[in-house]
Amino acid sequence: MPVLLFSGAPLLDSAQNFMVAAYLALIPMFLGYLAFGMALAKVPASTATTVTLSEPAVAAALAVGLLSEHLGFTGWAGMALIAVALLILLVWSPRNIGPIVSATAHQKYCAEGTRCGICRQDPSAELMR
C-alpha cells in the first residue's frame, strides 16, 4: 500500500485500470493461493514440493503455447531436466516400492493414535481397512 501512494497514479487514473488491478488481485492471486493453501492440507509435503517446483516449467509451457512466447535453448533444457526429475520421482517413489512392514504391524501402528509414518494417514481421519 505505501508503494501505491507513490507510484500508483496510473493505476488510479481510470476505472478500467483499477478494475484490471482488482481482478488480478482477487482471481489469480487470492483465489489461487486460497485453493493452493487448502490443497496443502490434503497432500504430503513431497507432493506439494514437487508441484511447487514444477510450476515455472508449466508457466513457461503455457506462455509458449498460449501466448506465442519465445523460449531459448536454456529454457527448453531446464524444462527437460524438470521433466526427467519428475519421471525419476514417479518411477522410484517410495510408494511404488511397497511397505517394509507387514500389514498387521502397520494396522497396529496406525491404531496407536499417532500420525502413521508408513501410510502418512492422520489418525483423526478414517483408519485404513
Side-chain angles (χ1 to χ4, degrees):
M1 292 306 286
V3 174
L4 180 64
L5 294 175
F6 295 108
S7 64
L11 178 68
L12 302 174
D13 277 346
S14 72
Q16 183 179 6
N17 290 356
F18 182 76
M19 294 301 287
V20 168
Y23 165 79
L24 289 173
L26 291 175
I27 304 301
M29 295 293 292
F30 177 73
L31 291 180
Y33 279 109
L34 183 67
F36 182 70
M38 290 169 51
L40 283 178
K42 299 189 183 324
V43 298
S46 59
T47 303
T49 302
T50 303
V51 169
T52 303
L53 293 176
S54 64
E55 184 269 335
V58 172
L62 288 173
V64 169
L66 297 177
L67 303 174
S68 301
E69 292 285 329
H70 175 73
L71 197 59
F73 173 76
T74 53
W76 288 111
M79 287 177 57
L81 287 174
I82 290 173
V84 167
L86 289 174
L87 285 173
I88 290 171
L89 285 173
L90 182 67
V91 171
W92 283 304
S93 171
R95 290 185 179 163
N96 294 339
I97 297 172
I100 298 172
V101 298
S102 69
T104 306
H106 178 238
Q107 286 175 344
K108 181 181 179 212
Y109 188 80
C110 270
E112 289 176 355
T114 58
R115 186 171 186 93
C116 180
I118 298 167
C119 67
R120 297 184 178 105
Q121 188 171 5
D122 191 349
S124 63
E126 181 178 298
L127 289 177
M128 284 184 49
R129 299 186 204 289

